Amino acid sequence: MLRRDGLVSLKAASAREALEILLKEDVALALLDVQMPEMDGFELAEIMRGNERTRRIPIIFLTAGSADRTRRFRGYEAGAVDFLEKPLEPDILRSKVRIFSELYQQRQQINDQMDNLRAYAEENLRLLQESRAAAEALQDADRRKDEFLATLAHELRNPLAPIRNGLQILRMSKGDGERAEEVRGMMDRQLTHLVRLIDDLLDVSRVSQGKIDLRREPIALQDAVNAAVEASRPLIEASHHSFSLIMPEEPLLVDGDMTRLAQVVSNLLNNAAKYTPEGGHVTVTVQPAGLQAEIIVSDNGLGIAPDMLPKVFDLFTQVDSSIDRSQGGLGVGLALVRKLVEMHGGLVLAQSDGPGAGSRFTIRLPQSRATAGAAAPRQAAPFEGPVRPLNILIVDDNVDSAQTTRWMLDLIGHAAEVRHDGREAIEAAAAAPPDVILLDIGMPGMNGYEVCRELRRIPALKDTVLIAQTGWGQESDRQQAFDAGFDHHVTKPVSLDLVTGLLADVQKARAEKMTGA
Amino acid sequence: MTETPTGDILRVMIVEDNEALAQTTGWLIEMLGYDYRLAGSAQQALADVTAYAPHVMMLDLGLPGMNGYDLCRALRANPGLKDTVFVAQTGWGEAEHRRMSAEAGFHHHLVKPVYLEALEDMLNGIAKARV
């Protein structure tokens, strides 16, 4: 009868069965017979009232004949909303059931709306918390950036201050004498330090933007470690540390970028030297570890507090700002170490038993499957023969940079001319073809790549060697330079040794060509 | 560098752990016609200060161990140095650092790198004030 109206009726033969159904189903209305064996309708209603799940279900009692006043009273007390007399009148039953079913549906809707509201509120709260966390992270990043910039300014001034003093001393002493010589040596060391700081900074920004390409080939790990020891030895010796190097004789091969691995080990060695009080001990151990190769750099210095250990590889982290500010450091060295090691498919660990207990850094790299012969260093036979000075054209919009490069080339016996923009340079080169053109890339107007392409179109310059000079040394820059038609690419500031070597190669090639012809 | 304080020449003690900076500053002071003594740490400065009796003390603020602020306070408490002029030398030039150095008892605050002219003016002024 009820099913016709789109309702579902659940039948229970006893109060116990009814309770079982009530536990499982959501019920809009309960029609309870008062007269039931074991437990009557009133008792069932009382149990329903006592239960959170069922206490809101409307109850209509079914009575045989008209119920007397006391029974009705007991029924209402037990939570009845109405009484129906048996036999049931279908129309009355239907209309009553419809009312309660509508009520039930409305309540369901309200519940759904409340659920939705609650979900919205929770979602809003979550978004609010998320945006708060993001704002905090931004603030934190901002604070770290400010700290970093202040530290950077400080670190750059550290080598700059003695360089300025040095210049003033040279000026006052007219550049002569033993002291001037000493001052020049000092300025050279400070400038090297400054360049290294800036290189590290550029490196770390390139690495974190994924702009560094490794030139990986099978190399003996010992070679990279030896190069690092060579680079760091002055710092270790300046602090009067004793130094031990333990390496197997058999080459331990890894697929690595020699320069980058040397840089990694050198960074660790410099840290060891820096954070160990004078007269300490620094050890480097290279050893196989299963399918991996291990480099361990350890010292008996200041050590690292346990709470700092997980953070030492984070960018701009300084182990102890009070120590670091006097010792120098930007907090980029170890960040660079971790990134470069990870790019090699390896990992790096920091260990320390705490302040004063020394530190130990372990690098693990996968061993190469290549055979030992693959890593044999190539050595070019030195060329000995007649050389002549080269005619060199320097093109750089920075007047000071061009002028000092020219002096440098004069000093090593070449004849150099200077032009400050691309157009002038092309005219000068076409009029008197030089042996070598040193071309700055970042010039206003016509940039170095464009100048290079123009120069390559001039037939008289087919034998001219073109060298690109830039502040950017990543692989993509080199590739761009070679694509434009450059023969070589060097990064500023260019050291005298590098230019001398490069030009010697050009001279050698020229001489060979002449004797060969 | 003289072992015993000389009569009239202005004596400047430089306390700085950056060796290159300390040495070149010393040479500059010498070229300006004054006397100098180097100390690489606060401990060394405290050990040497009585014998040298400097007219000017140039202190690096970022010294390892005892920093420049604390060293200045310790030295200012020494009655033998009551006429000594204290100069803070630091890479940090923000107002906050200037305030901190003034509070620690410094008379001057120089930001690295120091211009020769600024150093010369300051030392000449101190020398003149003594006469």
Side-chain angles (χ1 to χ4, degrees):
Chain A
M1 183 172 73
L2 292 172
R3 206 167 295 138
R4 271 209 323 251
D5 293 349
L7 301 168
V8 179
S9 73
L10 302 162
K11 280 188 200 128
S14 69
R16 186 177 305 279
E17 229 180 291
L19 282 172
E20 273 168 24
I21 291 172
L22 284 167
L23 281 176
K24 285 186 225 136
E25 308 285 343
D26 277 333
V27 175
L29 174 66
L31 297 167
L32 305 186
D33 197 350
V34 175
Q35 299 289 351
M36 284 189 291
E38 286 177 38
M39 189 191 286
D40 71 15
F42 295 141
E43 282 172 297
L44 176 56
E46 270 154 24
I47 290 172
M48 283 171 68
R49 287 292 157 266
N51 186 314
E52 184 57 35
R53 189 180 152 75
T54 51
R55 56 182 271 259
R56 286 183 205 287
I57 299 173
I59 297 167
I60 297 176
F61 284 115
L62 308 178
T63 56
S66 61
D68 60 45
R69 211 168 152 268
T70 34
R71 282 176 74 80
R72 274 185 184 261
F73 188 74
R74 196 182 160 203
Y76 286 124
E77 223 176 25
V81 293
D82 210 347
F83 285 82
L84 284 178
E85 285 169 26
K86 291 201 255 190
L88 296 171
E89 196 67 46
D91 285 343
I92 295 175
L93 177 64
R94 196 173 293 139
S95 80
K96 292 211 168 178
V97 164
R98 195 183 308 122
I99 289 167
F100 285 108
S101 115
E102 275 170 19
L103 261 176
Y104 175 78
Q105 277 165 358
Q106 280 168 7
R107 206 164 59 210
Q108 287 296 96
Q109 275 172 6
I110 289 168
N111 279 345
D112 286 353
Q113 280 166 356
M114 274 173 62
D115 282 350
N116 284 342
L117 275 176
R118 196 173 298 124
Y120 278 132
E122 275 167 10
E123 176 69 4
N124 280 341
L125 188 67
R126 196 182 57 78
L127 287 174
L128 185 70
Q129 278 165 346
E130 254 177 33
S131 67
R132 272 204 195 126
E136 267 167 35
L138 264 180
Q139 254 175 7
D140 191 49
D142 207 41
R143 188 184 49 72
R144 284 212 299 175
K145 186 203 74 191
D146 286 345
E147 271 177 19
F148 169 71
L149 285 177
T151 311
L152 176 62
H154 186 254
E155 285 306 317
L156 294 179
R157 273 180 189 147
N158 260 344
L160 279 175
I163 290 173
R164 175 180 293 285
N165 280 352
L167 279 171
Q168 288 161 341
I169 292 164
L170 290 178
R171 200 171 69 200
M172 288 167 83
S173 66
K174 309 273 179 281
D176 298 326
E178 204 177 300
R179 176 162 301 170
E181 200 48 53
E182 233 176 303
V183 168
R184 276 192 285 266
M186 176 280 296
M187 287 171 72
D188 191 35
R189 286 190 297 278
Q190 297 296 320
L191 196 63
T192 306
H193 173 60
L194 197 57
V195 170
R196 193 183 311 128
L197 272 178
I198 291 169
D199 280 348
D200 272 0
L201 264 181
L202 286 176
D203 270 357
V204 91
S205 100
R206 286 177 206 151
V207 169
S208 33
Q209 294 175 59
K211 279 189 181 168
I212 260 186
D213 314 283
L214 296 181
R215 267 166 272 176
R216 292 175 78 171
E217 55 188 340
I219 57 166
L221 206 49
Q222 287 95 326
D223 290 345
V225 171
N226 276 327
V229 170
E230 187 61 32
S232 300
R233 194 178 285 282
L235 195 61
I236 296 169
E237 282 174 359
S239 303
H240 307 290
H241 299 315
S242 58
F243 177 68
S244 321
L245 179 58
I246 303 156
M247 298 200 288
E249 277 192 19
E250 189 70 17
L252 206 48
L253 294 187
V254 296
D255 288 312
D257 182 321
M258 174 73 95
T259 316
R260 294 301 180 184
L261 285 182
Q263 183 183 9
V264 161
V265 178
S266 184
N267 269 353
L268 294 180
L269 270 173
N270 290 348
N271 273 356
K274 212 161 74 175
Y275 294 108
T276 301
E278 285 217 356
H281 192 82
V282 177
T283 308
V284 176
T285 310
V286 178
Q287 62 194 25
L291 292 173
Q292 312 240 304
E294 233 175 33
I295 308 170
I296 302 162
V297 178
S298 58
D299 62 59
N300 61 348
L302 298 181
I304 304 165
D307 61 321
M308 280 307 295
L309 266 181
K311 296 190 222 158
V312 291
F313 294 108
D314 292 349
L315 197 50
F316 306 148
T317 295
Q318 293 176 324
V319 169
D320 178 340
S321 55
S322 66
I323 288 165
D324 227 350
R325 281 185 184 172
S326 62
Q327 300 264 344
L330 287 172
V332 300
L334 287 180
L336 201 54
V337 164
R338 180 172 65 183
K339 292 198 163 145
L340 287 173
V341 167
E342 283 172 357
M343 282 172 75
H344 277 89
L347 60 89
V348 57
L349 302 167
Q351 291 161 291
S352 172
D353 290 335
S359 309
R360 176 187 168 96
F361 287 84
T362 305
I363 296 169
R364 285 203 194 104
L365 297 167
Q367 281 195 52
S368 171
R369 294 209 193 108
T371 49
R378 292 164 308 212
Q379 225 155 41
F383 173 81
E384 282 167 32
V387 288
R388 66 170 179 89
L390 298 168
N391 291 315
I392 301 169
L393 181 64
I394 301 159
V395 191
D396 194 332
D397 64 308
N398 180 331
V399 177
D400 289 339
S401 170
Q403 188 59 49
T404 48
T405 307
R406 182 193 182 160
W407 285 337
M408 216 157 80
L409 295 174
D410 278 350
L411 283 172
I412 57 175
H414 299 291
E417 270 198 57
V418 167
R419 290 292 181 278
H420 298 305
D421 82 63
R423 267 296 142 226
E424 284 177 33
I426 293 165
E427 280 168 29
D435 297 306
V436 176
I437 302 178
L438 262 177
L439 197 49
D440 179 41
I441 295 296
M443 289 188 293
M446 208 175 173
N447 73 32
Y449 300 123
E450 290 162 344
V451 177
C452 179
R453 283 188 206 101
E454 291 269 321
L455 290 170
R456 281 293 176 222
R457 289 196 197 105
I458 302 172
L461 298 177
K462 67 174 171 45
D463 291 331
T464 299
V465 175
L466 288 174
I467 302 175
Q469 248 194 313
T470 69
W472 307 99
Q474 60 229 48
E475 193 52 35
S476 57
D477 293 309
R478 301 174 67 86
Q479 200 49 54
Q480 206 178 343
F482 296 136
D483 290 346
F486 281 104
D487 299 297
H488 300 281
H489 177 278
V490 296
T491 310
K492 286 184 187 178
V494 180
S495 75
L496 187 60
D497 288 348
L498 183 69
V499 173
T500 309
L502 206 53
L503 294 179
D505 286 347
V506 174
Q507 277 177 313
K508 194 180 91 180
R510 290 276 138 114
E512 278 172 343
K513 204 169 171 189
M514 282 168 76
T515 51
Chain B
M1 281 191 282
T2 46
E3 275 309 309
T4 49
T6 46
D8 274 356
I9 304 175
L10 193 74
R11 291 185 298 277
V12 184
M13 182 174 250
I14 302 159
V15 192
E16 166 70 64
D17 65 317
N18 177 340
E19 233 173 281
L21 182 59
Q23 187 55 67
T24 51
T25 307
W27 285 339
L28 280 174
I29 288 168
E30 189 182 86
M31 289 169 118
L32 291 170
Y34 302 119
D35 192 54
Y36 74 94
R37 173 79 58 99
L38 303 183
S41 65
Q43 287 70 21
Q44 202 190 330
L46 289 166
D48 294 355
V49 74
T50 310
Y52 187 62
H55 303 106
V56 181
M57 291 216 68
M58 296 182 64
L59 310 186
D60 176 33
L61 291 182
L63 291 167
M66 187 185 208
N67 69 36
Y69 301 112
D70 293 341
L71 178 60
C72 182
R73 285 193 193 92
L75 291 169
R76 290 291 307 262
N78 180 339
L81 300 173
K82 67 177 170 35
D83 295 326
T84 301
V85 178
F86 285 83
V87 182
Q89 246 203 315
T90 165
W92 308 96
E94 289 89 286
E96 190 203 337
H97 296 103
R98 292 181 181 277
R99 185 183 54 74
M100 280 166 71
S101 71
E103 274 174 15
F106 282 102
H107 302 91
H108 298 273
H109 185 113
L110 293 181
V111 177
K112 300 175 194 176
V114 176
Y115 283 82
L116 177 61
E117 290 73 17
L119 183 67
E120 191 174 9
D121 284 353
M122 188 189 72
L123 292 180
N124 286 350
I126 295 168
K128 210 173 282 172
R130 285 181 55 236
V131 180

